[in-house]
mmCIF file of all heavy atoms in Angstrom:
data_model
loop_
_atom_site.group_PDB
_atom_site.id
_atom_site.type_symbol
_atom_site.label_atom_id
_atom_site.label_comp_id
_atom_site.label_asym_id
_atom_site.label_seq_id
_atom_site.Cartn_x
_atom_site.Cartn_y
_atom_site.Cartn_z
ATOM 1 N N VAL A 157 98.208 98.698 78.126
ATOM 2 C CA VAL A 157 98.761 99.397 76.963
ATOM 3 C C VAL A 157 98.704 100.898 77.265
ATOM 4 O O VAL A 157 97.627 101.447 77.492
ATOM 5 C CB VAL A 157 97.943 99.085 75.686
ATOM 6 C CG1 VAL A 157 98.393 99.957 74.529
ATOM 7 C CG2 VAL A 157 98.064 97.604 75.336
ATOM 8 N N PRO A 158 99.876 101.559 77.314
ATOM 9 C CA PRO A 158 99.899 102.949 77.769
ATOM 10 C C PRO A 158 98.954 103.883 76.987
ATOM 11 O O PRO A 158 98.329 104.749 77.591
ATOM 12 C CB PRO A 158 101.363 103.366 77.567
ATOM 13 C CG PRO A 158 102.129 102.090 77.623
ATOM 14 C CD PRO A 158 101.222 101.043 77.035
ATOM 15 N N SER A 159 98.833 103.666 75.676
ATOM 16 C CA SER A 159 98.042 104.623 74.899
ATOM 17 C C SER A 159 96.543 104.494 75.151
ATOM 18 O O SER A 159 95.766 105.330 74.701
ATOM 19 C CB SER A 159 98.334 104.435 73.405
ATOM 20 O OG SER A 159 98.004 103.116 73.032
ATOM 21 N N ASN A 160 96.116 103.465 75.876
ATOM 22 C CA ASN A 160 94.683 103.307 76.133
ATOM 23 C C ASN A 160 94.153 104.233 77.224
ATOM 24 O O ASN A 160 92.945 104.385 77.372
ATOM 25 C CB ASN A 160 94.359 101.857 76.499
ATOM 26 C CG ASN A 160 94.319 100.982 75.258
ATOM 27 O OD1 ASN A 160 94.185 101.483 74.148
ATOM 28 N ND2 ASN A 160 94.452 99.681 75.445
ATOM 29 N N LEU A 161 95.060 104.817 77.984
ATOM 30 C CA LEU A 161 94.630 105.742 79.025
ATOM 31 C C LEU A 161 95.526 106.966 78.983
ATOM 32 O O LEU A 161 96.710 106.874 78.654
ATOM 33 C CB LEU A 161 94.733 105.078 80.407
ATOM 34 C CG LEU A 161 93.698 103.992 80.718
ATOM 35 C CD1 LEU A 161 94.100 103.198 81.950
ATOM 36 C CD2 LEU A 161 92.312 104.612 80.910
ATOM 37 N N LYS A 162 94.947 108.117 79.337
ATOM 38 C CA LYS A 162 95.730 109.334 79.324
ATOM 39 C C LYS A 162 96.274 109.608 80.721
ATOM 40 O O LYS A 162 95.540 109.480 81.698
ATOM 41 C CB LYS A 162 94.839 110.489 78.864
ATOM 42 C CG LYS A 162 95.619 111.643 78.313
ATOM 43 C CD LYS A 162 94.793 112.494 77.364
ATOM 44 C CE LYS A 162 95.663 113.626 76.835
ATOM 45 N NZ LYS A 162 94.901 114.658 76.152
ATOM 46 N N THR A 163 97.547 109.952 80.825
ATOM 47 C CA THR A 163 98.105 110.270 82.137
ATOM 48 C C THR A 163 98.424 111.756 82.224
ATOM 49 O O THR A 163 98.599 112.428 81.203
ATOM 50 C CB THR A 163 99.378 109.438 82.422
ATOM 51 O OG1 THR A 163 100.257 109.534 81.296
ATOM 52 C CG2 THR A 163 99.028 107.978 82.657
ATOM 53 N N LEU A 164 98.521 112.242 83.452
ATOM 54 C CA LEU A 164 98.590 113.682 83.685
ATOM 55 C C LEU A 164 99.835 114.331 83.096
ATOM 56 O O LEU A 164 99.823 115.500 82.734
ATOM 57 C CB LEU A 164 98.507 113.948 85.199
ATOM 58 C CG LEU A 164 98.190 115.368 85.637
ATOM 59 C CD1 LEU A 164 96.882 115.861 85.036
ATOM 60 C CD2 LEU A 164 98.143 115.465 87.155
ATOM 61 N N ASN A 165 100.925 113.562 82.982
ATOM 62 C CA ASN A 165 102.156 114.138 82.433
ATOM 63 C C ASN A 165 102.020 114.514 80.956
ATOM 64 O O ASN A 165 102.870 115.212 80.426
ATOM 65 C CB ASN A 165 103.314 113.152 82.618
ATOM 66 C CG ASN A 165 103.075 111.834 81.934
ATOM 67 O OD1 ASN A 165 102.017 111.215 82.110
ATOM 68 N ND2 ASN A 165 104.008 111.397 81.132
ATOM 69 N N GLN A 166 100.949 114.063 80.313
ATOM 70 C CA GLN A 166 100.779 114.369 78.888
ATOM 71 C C GLN A 166 100.149 115.743 78.636
ATOM 72 O O GLN A 166 99.956 116.136 77.498
ATOM 73 C CB GLN A 166 99.904 113.292 78.217
ATOM 74 C CG GLN A 166 100.563 111.920 78.233
ATOM 75 C CD GLN A 166 99.589 110.794 77.851
ATOM 76 O OE1 GLN A 166 98.634 111.015 77.117
ATOM 77 N NE2 GLN A 166 99.843 109.612 78.345
ATOM 78 N N TYR A 167 99.801 116.454 79.712
ATOM 79 C CA TYR A 167 99.161 117.756 79.548
ATOM 80 C C TYR A 167 100.179 118.889 79.721
ATOM 81 O O TYR A 167 101.280 118.676 80.229
ATOM 82 C CB TYR A 167 98.059 117.923 80.594
ATOM 83 C CG TYR A 167 96.869 117.012 80.399
ATOM 84 C CD1 TYR A 167 96.867 115.724 80.914
ATOM 85 C CD2 TYR A 167 95.749 117.449 79.701
ATOM 86 C CE1 TYR A 167 95.773 114.889 80.755
ATOM 87 C CE2 TYR A 167 94.645 116.626 79.531
ATOM 88 C CZ TYR A 167 94.670 115.351 80.060
ATOM 89 O OH TYR A 167 93.591 114.532 79.898
ATOM 90 N N SER A 168 99.743 120.091 79.320
ATOM 91 C CA SER A 168 100.585 121.275 79.551
ATOM 92 C C SER A 168 100.577 121.599 81.046
ATOM 93 O O SER A 168 99.706 121.130 81.790
ATOM 94 C CB SER A 168 100.031 122.466 78.771
ATOM 95 O OG SER A 168 98.847 122.934 79.397
ATOM 96 N N ILE A 169 101.527 122.419 81.462
ATOM 97 C CA ILE A 169 101.617 122.779 82.882
ATOM 98 C C ILE A 169 100.309 123.399 83.379
ATOM 99 O O ILE A 169 99.807 123.048 84.447
ATOM 100 C CB ILE A 169 102.764 123.790 83.113
ATOM 101 C CG1 ILE A 169 104.101 123.186 82.679
ATOM 102 C CG2 ILE A 169 102.824 124.219 84.576
ATOM 103 C CD1 ILE A 169 104.520 121.969 83.430
ATOM 104 N N ALA A 170 99.735 124.309 82.586
ATOM 105 C CA ALA A 170 98.488 124.959 83.011
ATOM 106 C C ALA A 170 97.364 123.931 83.137
ATOM 107 O O ALA A 170 96.581 123.960 84.090
ATOM 108 C CB ALA A 170 98.107 126.052 82.013
ATOM 109 N N GLU A 171 97.304 123.021 82.181
ATOM 110 C CA GLU A 171 96.255 121.983 82.229
ATOM 111 C C GLU A 171 96.458 121.039 83.417
ATOM 112 O O GLU A 171 95.496 120.604 84.047
ATOM 113 C CB GLU A 171 96.270 121.165 80.926
ATOM 114 C CG GLU A 171 95.777 121.917 79.718
ATOM 115 C CD GLU A 171 96.064 121.182 78.406
ATOM 116 O OE1 GLU A 171 97.032 120.400 78.330
ATOM 117 O OE2 GLU A 171 95.298 121.406 77.453
ATOM 118 N N ILE A 172 97.715 120.746 83.700
ATOM 119 C CA ILE A 172 98.021 119.882 84.851
ATOM 120 C C ILE A 172 97.524 120.544 86.128
ATOM 121 O O ILE A 172 96.821 119.940 86.937
ATOM 122 C CB ILE A 172 99.537 119.625 84.952
ATOM 123 C CG1 ILE A 172 100.004 118.692 83.840
ATOM 124 C CG2 ILE A 172 99.902 119.049 86.324
ATOM 125 C CD1 ILE A 172 101.528 118.550 83.745
ATOM 126 N N ASN A 173 97.872 121.811 86.301
ATOM 127 C CA ASN A 173 97.487 122.491 87.535
ATOM 128 C C ASN A 173 95.983 122.627 87.666
ATOM 129 O O ASN A 173 95.436 122.455 88.748
ATOM 130 C CB ASN A 173 98.172 123.857 87.614
ATOM 131 C CG ASN A 173 99.604 123.711 88.072
ATOM 132 O OD1 ASN A 173 99.851 123.301 89.194
ATOM 133 N ND2 ASN A 173 100.543 123.978 87.192
ATOM 134 N N HIS A 174 95.337 122.921 86.555
ATOM 135 C CA HIS A 174 93.878 123.023 86.604
ATOM 136 C C HIS A 174 93.272 121.693 87.065
ATOM 137 O O HIS A 174 92.384 121.659 87.915
ATOM 138 C CB HIS A 174 93.330 123.410 85.230
ATOM 139 C CG HIS A 174 91.836 123.401 85.183
ATOM 140 N ND1 HIS A 174 91.071 124.299 85.897
ATOM 141 C CD2 HIS A 174 90.970 122.561 84.558
ATOM 142 C CE1 HIS A 174 89.791 124.029 85.693
ATOM 143 N NE2 HIS A 174 89.706 122.977 84.892
ATOM 144 N N ARG A 175 93.772 120.602 86.517
ATOM 145 C CA ARG A 175 93.216 119.287 86.872
ATOM 146 C C ARG A 175 93.529 118.912 88.319
ATOM 147 O O ARG A 175 92.700 118.356 89.022
ATOM 148 C CB ARG A 175 93.715 118.225 85.885
ATOM 149 C CG ARG A 175 92.920 118.267 84.596
ATOM 150 C CD ARG A 175 93.617 117.657 83.415
ATOM 151 N NE ARG A 175 92.822 117.854 82.199
ATOM 152 C CZ ARG A 175 92.660 119.021 81.581
ATOM 153 N NH1 ARG A 175 93.245 120.113 82.042
ATOM 154 N NH2 ARG A 175 91.894 119.116 80.506
ATOM 155 N N LEU A 176 94.744 119.238 88.749
ATOM 156 C CA LEU A 176 95.077 118.930 90.144
ATOM 157 C C LEU A 176 94.206 119.722 91.117
ATOM 158 O O LEU A 176 93.908 119.268 92.205
ATOM 159 C CB LEU A 176 96.560 119.216 90.412
ATOM 160 C CG LEU A 176 97.545 118.182 89.855
ATOM 161 C CD1 LEU A 176 98.982 118.650 90.056
ATOM 162 C CD2 LEU A 176 97.340 116.816 90.508
ATOM 163 N N LYS A 177 93.812 120.932 90.693
ATOM 164 C CA LYS A 177 93.014 121.759 91.588
ATOM 165 C C LYS A 177 91.554 121.346 91.632
ATOM 166 O O LYS A 177 90.914 121.449 92.668
ATOM 167 C CB LYS A 177 93.094 123.235 91.152
ATOM 168 C CG LYS A 177 94.287 123.955 91.755
ATOM 169 C CD LYS A 177 94.317 125.408 91.346
ATOM 170 C CE LYS A 177 94.653 125.531 89.876
ATOM 171 N NZ LYS A 177 94.834 126.928 89.450
ATOM 172 N N THR A 178 91.019 120.902 90.510
ATOM 173 C CA THR A 178 89.568 120.742 90.458
ATOM 174 C C THR A 178 89.087 119.300 90.390
ATOM 175 O O THR A 178 87.935 119.031 90.678
ATOM 176 C CB THR A 178 88.982 121.497 89.243
ATOM 177 O OG1 THR A 178 89.581 120.976 88.052
ATOM 178 C CG2 THR A 178 89.263 122.983 89.335
ATOM 179 N N TYR A 179 89.936 118.365 90.009
ATOM 180 C CA TYR A 179 89.454 116.998 89.820
ATOM 181 C C TYR A 179 89.357 116.245 91.144
ATOM 182 O O TYR A 179 89.973 116.618 92.134
ATOM 183 C CB TYR A 179 90.400 116.234 88.866
ATOM 184 C CG TYR A 179 90.170 116.519 87.398
ATOM 185 C CD1 TYR A 179 89.604 117.713 86.970
ATOM 186 C CD2 TYR A 179 90.540 115.582 86.428
ATOM 187 C CE1 TYR A 179 89.408 117.965 85.622
ATOM 188 C CE2 TYR A 179 90.344 115.826 85.073
ATOM 189 C CZ TYR A 179 89.784 117.024 84.676
ATOM 190 O OH TYR A 179 89.587 117.275 83.347
ATOM 191 N N PHE A 180 88.617 115.187 91.110
ATOM 192 C CA PHE A 180 88.510 114.245 92.238
ATOM 193 C C PHE A 180 89.707 113.294 92.140
ATOM 194 O O PHE A 180 89.808 112.535 91.190
ATOM 195 C CB PHE A 180 87.187 113.492 92.097
ATOM 196 C CG PHE A 180 86.926 112.481 93.176
ATOM 197 C CD1 PHE A 180 85.856 112.650 94.040
ATOM 198 C CD2 PHE A 180 87.719 111.346 93.327
ATOM 199 C CE1 PHE A 180 85.591 111.713 95.031
ATOM 200 C CE2 PHE A 180 87.463 110.421 94.306
ATOM 201 C CZ PHE A 180 86.402 110.599 95.163
ATOM 202 N N LYS A 181 90.591 113.357 93.117
ATOM 203 C CA LYS A 181 91.847 112.593 93.015
ATOM 204 C C LYS A 181 91.871 111.454 94.035
ATOM 205 O O LYS A 181 91.586 111.690 95.212
ATOM 206 C CB LYS A 181 93.038 113.527 93.278
ATOM 207 C CG LYS A 181 93.095 114.720 92.331
ATOM 208 C CD LYS A 181 94.215 115.682 92.685
ATOM 209 C CE LYS A 181 93.998 116.414 93.982
ATOM 210 N NZ LYS A 181 92.797 117.265 94.033
ATOM 211 N N PHE A 182 92.200 110.268 93.585
ATOM 212 C CA PHE A 182 92.245 109.149 94.529
ATOM 213 C C PHE A 182 93.346 108.165 94.172
ATOM 214 O O PHE A 182 93.869 108.154 93.053
ATOM 215 C CB PHE A 182 90.886 108.446 94.593
ATOM 216 C CG PHE A 182 90.519 107.668 93.359
ATOM 217 C CD1 PHE A 182 90.683 106.276 93.318
ATOM 218 C CD2 PHE A 182 90.012 108.308 92.232
ATOM 219 C CE1 PHE A 182 90.343 105.546 92.182
ATOM 220 C CE2 PHE A 182 89.668 107.584 91.088
ATOM 221 C CZ PHE A 182 89.834 106.205 91.070
ATOM 222 N N LEU A 183 93.707 107.369 95.165
ATOM 223 C CA LEU A 183 94.663 106.283 94.933
ATOM 224 C C LEU A 183 94.250 105.103 95.796
ATOM 225 O O LEU A 183 93.416 105.239 96.699
ATOM 226 C CB LEU A 183 96.096 106.710 95.258
ATOM 227 C CG LEU A 183 96.537 106.753 96.709
ATOM 228 C CD1 LEU A 183 98.065 106.878 96.783
ATOM 229 C CD2 LEU A 183 95.902 107.878 97.477
ATOM 230 N N PHE A 184 94.795 103.939 95.490
ATOM 231 C CA PHE A 184 94.554 102.753 96.314
ATOM 232 C C PHE A 184 95.888 102.217 96.809
ATOM 233 O O PHE A 184 96.849 102.133 96.040
ATOM 234 C CB PHE A 184 93.782 101.690 95.518
ATOM 235 C CG PHE A 184 92.287 101.846 95.667
ATOM 236 C CD1 PHE A 184 91.628 102.904 95.053
ATOM 237 C CD2 PHE A 184 91.555 100.978 96.457
ATOM 238 C CE1 PHE A 184 90.260 103.084 95.209
ATOM 239 C CE2 PHE A 184 90.189 101.148 96.628
ATOM 240 C CZ PHE A 184 89.534 102.201 96.001
ATOM 241 N N VAL A 185 95.926 101.897 98.100
ATOM 242 C CA VAL A 185 97.165 101.428 98.713
ATOM 243 C C VAL A 185 96.935 100.060 99.356
ATOM 244 O O VAL A 185 95.801 99.605 99.502
ATOM 245 C CB VAL A 185 97.674 102.439 99.760
ATOM 246 C CG1 VAL A 185 97.982 103.774 99.113
ATOM 247 C CG2 VAL A 185 96.674 102.600 100.912
ATOM 248 N N ARG A 186 98.041 99.441 99.782
ATOM 249 C CA ARG A 186 97.974 98.105 100.353
ATOM 250 C C ARG A 186 99.071 97.959 101.405
ATOM 251 O O ARG A 186 100.074 98.699 101.356
ATOM 252 C CB ARG A 186 98.216 97.103 99.220
ATOM 253 C CG ARG A 186 98.196 95.656 99.614
ATOM 254 C CD ARG A 186 98.372 94.803 98.355
ATOM 255 N NE ARG A 186 98.258 93.390 98.664
ATOM 256 C CZ ARG A 186 98.351 92.421 97.747
ATOM 257 N NH1 ARG A 186 98.555 92.730 96.470
ATOM 258 N NH2 ARG A 186 98.222 91.164 98.102
ATOM 259 N N GLU A 187 98.919 97.028 102.306
ATOM 260 C CA GLU A 187 99.943 96.787 103.325
ATOM 261 C C GLU A 187 101.274 96.609 102.583
ATOM 262 O O GLU A 187 101.391 95.747 101.708
ATOM 263 C CB GLU A 187 99.580 95.540 104.130
ATOM 264 C CG GLU A 187 100.175 95.494 105.506
ATOM 265 C CD GLU A 187 101.600 94.968 105.554
ATOM 266 O OE1 GLU A 187 102.016 94.266 104.610
ATOM 267 O OE2 GLU A 187 102.317 95.252 106.517
ATOM 268 N N PRO A 188 102.301 97.423 102.890
ATOM 269 C CA PRO A 188 103.493 97.483 102.034
ATOM 270 C C PRO A 188 104.228 96.153 101.852
ATOM 271 O O PRO A 188 104.672 95.856 100.742
ATOM 272 C CB PRO A 188 104.379 98.499 102.754
ATOM 273 C CG PRO A 188 103.441 99.366 103.510
ATOM 274 C CD PRO A 188 102.316 98.470 103.934
ATOM 275 N N PHE A 189 104.346 95.352 102.911
ATOM 276 C CA PHE A 189 105.102 94.103 102.759
ATOM 277 C C PHE A 189 104.285 93.011 102.072
ATOM 278 O O PHE A 189 104.841 92.148 101.392
ATOM 279 C CB PHE A 189 105.641 93.633 104.123
ATOM 280 C CG PHE A 189 106.848 94.419 104.572
ATOM 281 C CD1 PHE A 189 107.355 94.271 105.852
ATOM 282 C CD2 PHE A 189 107.486 95.302 103.704
ATOM 283 C CE1 PHE A 189 108.480 94.990 106.269
ATOM 284 C CE2 PHE A 189 108.602 96.035 104.109
ATOM 285 C CZ PHE A 189 109.095 95.874 105.391
ATOM 286 N N GLU A 190 102.977 93.067 102.242
ATOM 287 C CA GLU A 190 102.131 92.146 101.490
ATOM 288 C C GLU A 190 102.246 92.462 99.998
ATOM 289 O O GLU A 190 102.348 91.570 99.158
ATOM 290 C CB GLU A 190 100.694 92.343 101.954
ATOM 291 C CG GLU A 190 99.876 91.092 102.051
ATOM 292 C CD GLU A 190 98.477 91.446 102.512
ATOM 293 O OE1 GLU A 190 98.293 91.551 103.738
ATOM 294 O OE2 GLU A 190 97.595 91.626 101.655
ATOM 295 N N ARG A 191 102.261 93.741 99.705
ATOM 296 C CA ARG A 191 102.416 94.172 98.312
ATOM 297 C C ARG A 191 103.775 93.747 97.768
ATOM 298 O O ARG A 191 103.883 93.272 96.632
ATOM 299 C CB ARG A 191 102.248 95.698 98.246
ATOM 300 C CG ARG A 191 102.507 96.277 96.893
ATOM 301 C CD ARG A 191 102.180 97.757 96.774
ATOM 302 N NE ARG A 191 102.754 98.236 95.533
ATOM 303 C CZ ARG A 191 103.756 99.092 95.439
ATOM 304 N NH1 ARG A 191 104.276 99.647 96.520
ATOM 305 N NH2 ARG A 191 104.241 99.425 94.259
ATOM 306 N N LEU A 192 104.808 93.873 98.594
ATOM 307 C CA LEU A 192 106.157 93.532 98.154
ATOM 308 C C LEU A 192 106.278 92.028 97.883
ATOM 309 O O LEU A 192 106.842 91.621 96.859
ATOM 310 C CB LEU A 192 107.161 93.957 99.235
ATOM 311 C CG LEU A 192 108.633 93.776 98.876
ATOM 312 C CD1 LEU A 192 109.021 94.715 97.750
ATOM 313 C CD2 LEU A 192 109.511 94.032 100.100
ATOM 314 N N VAL A 193 105.740 91.218 98.770
ATOM 315 C CA VAL A 193 105.789 89.772 98.567
ATOM 316 C C VAL A 193 104.961 89.394 97.335
ATOM 317 O O VAL A 193 105.343 88.538 96.547
ATOM 318 C CB VAL A 193 105.310 89.014 99.833
ATOM 319 C CG1 VAL A 193 105.097 87.541 99.533
ATOM 320 C CG2 VAL A 193 106.319 89.187 100.957
ATOM 321 N N SER A 194 103.854 90.080 97.160
ATOM 322 C CA SER A 194 103.035 89.834 95.975
ATOM 323 C C SER A 194 103.826 90.150 94.705
ATOM 324 O O SER A 194 103.796 89.390 93.726
ATOM 325 C CB SER A 194 101.766 90.686 96.054
ATOM 326 O OG SER A 194 101.050 90.593 94.862
ATOM 327 N N ALA A 195 104.564 91.244 94.715
ATOM 328 C CA ALA A 195 105.385 91.611 93.556
ATOM 329 C C ALA A 195 106.468 90.564 93.326
ATOM 330 O O ALA A 195 106.706 90.139 92.185
ATOM 331 C CB ALA A 195 106.024 92.984 93.767
ATOM 332 N N TYR A 196 107.097 90.130 94.409
ATOM 333 C CA TYR A 196 108.136 89.099 94.281
ATOM 334 C C TYR A 196 107.554 87.821 93.668
ATOM 335 O O TYR A 196 108.110 87.268 92.714
ATOM 336 C CB TYR A 196 108.762 88.802 95.644
ATOM 337 C CG TYR A 196 109.572 87.523 95.631
ATOM 338 C CD1 TYR A 196 110.818 87.477 95.005
ATOM 339 C CD2 TYR A 196 109.064 86.343 96.183
ATOM 340 C CE1 TYR A 196 111.548 86.293 94.941
ATOM 341 C CE2 TYR A 196 109.782 85.160 96.129
ATOM 342 C CZ TYR A 196 111.019 85.134 95.500
ATOM 343 O OH TYR A 196 111.720 83.968 95.421
ATOM 344 N N ARG A 197 106.437 87.368 94.215
ATOM 345 C CA ARG A 197 105.849 86.119 93.714
ATOM 346 C C ARG A 197 105.472 86.258 92.247
ATOM 347 O O ARG A 197 105.733 85.387 91.431
ATOM 348 C CB ARG A 197 104.601 85.760 94.520
ATOM 349 C CG ARG A 197 104.874 85.384 95.959
ATOM 350 C CD ARG A 197 103.569 85.102 96.674
ATOM 351 N NE ARG A 197 102.911 83.910 96.141
ATOM 352 C CZ ARG A 197 101.598 83.753 96.061
ATOM 353 N NH1 ARG A 197 100.781 84.707 96.453
ATOM 354 N NH2 ARG A 197 101.089 82.649 95.580
ATOM 355 N N ASN A 198 104.880 87.391 91.939
ATOM 356 C CA ASN A 198 104.396 87.605 90.582
ATOM 357 C C ASN A 198 105.524 87.773 89.568
ATOM 358 O O ASN A 198 105.442 87.287 88.445
ATOM 359 C CB ASN A 198 103.488 88.842 90.592
ATOM 360 C CG ASN A 198 102.770 89.030 89.285
ATOM 361 O OD1 ASN A 198 103.062 89.963 88.556
ATOM 362 N ND2 ASN A 198 101.838 88.144 88.990
ATOM 363 N N LYS A 199 106.585 88.436 89.967
ATOM 364 C CA LYS A 199 107.634 88.753 89.001
ATOM 365 C C LYS A 199 108.772 87.738 88.988
ATOM 366 O O LYS A 199 109.465 87.602 87.985
ATOM 367 C CB LYS A 199 108.224 90.141 89.286
ATOM 368 C CG LYS A 199 107.243 91.268 89.075
ATOM 369 C CD LYS A 199 106.705 91.249 87.655
ATOM 370 C CE LYS A 199 105.485 92.148 87.526
ATOM 371 N NZ LYS A 199 104.643 91.794 86.383
ATOM 372 N N PHE A 200 109.004 87.043 90.111
ATOM 373 C CA PHE A 200 110.173 86.167 90.147
ATOM 374 C C PHE A 200 109.867 84.683 90.297
ATOM 375 O O PHE A 200 110.721 83.860 90.043
ATOM 376 C CB PHE A 200 111.133 86.615 91.263
ATOM 377 C CG PHE A 200 111.730 87.963 90.987
ATOM 378 C CD1 PHE A 200 111.360 89.064 91.724
ATOM 379 C CD2 PHE A 200 112.646 88.123 89.944
ATOM 380 C CE1 PHE A 200 111.894 90.315 91.441
ATOM 381 C CE2 PHE A 200 113.185 89.366 89.665
ATOM 382 C CZ PHE A 200 112.811 90.463 90.414
#
Side-chain angles (χ1 to χ4, degrees):
V157 172
S159 59
N160 282 341
L161 288 167
K162 202 156 181 193
T163 49
L164 196 57
N165 60 310
Q166 296 168 28
Y167 292 86
S168 73
I169 300 298
E171 289 168 333
I172 288 172
N173 280 295
H174 174 67
R175 280 159 185 71
L176 284 174
K177 273 182 290 186
T178 59
Y179 279 26
F180 180 116
K181 302 175 292 299
F182 70 100
L183 79 167
F184 270 72
V185 298
R186 180 177 184 179
E187 204 277 339
F189 283 171
E190 218 180 275
R191 175 173 167 247
L192 185 67
V193 169
S194 173
Y196 165 74
R197 293 178 66 214
N198 189 249
K199 294 303 166 202
F200 294 109

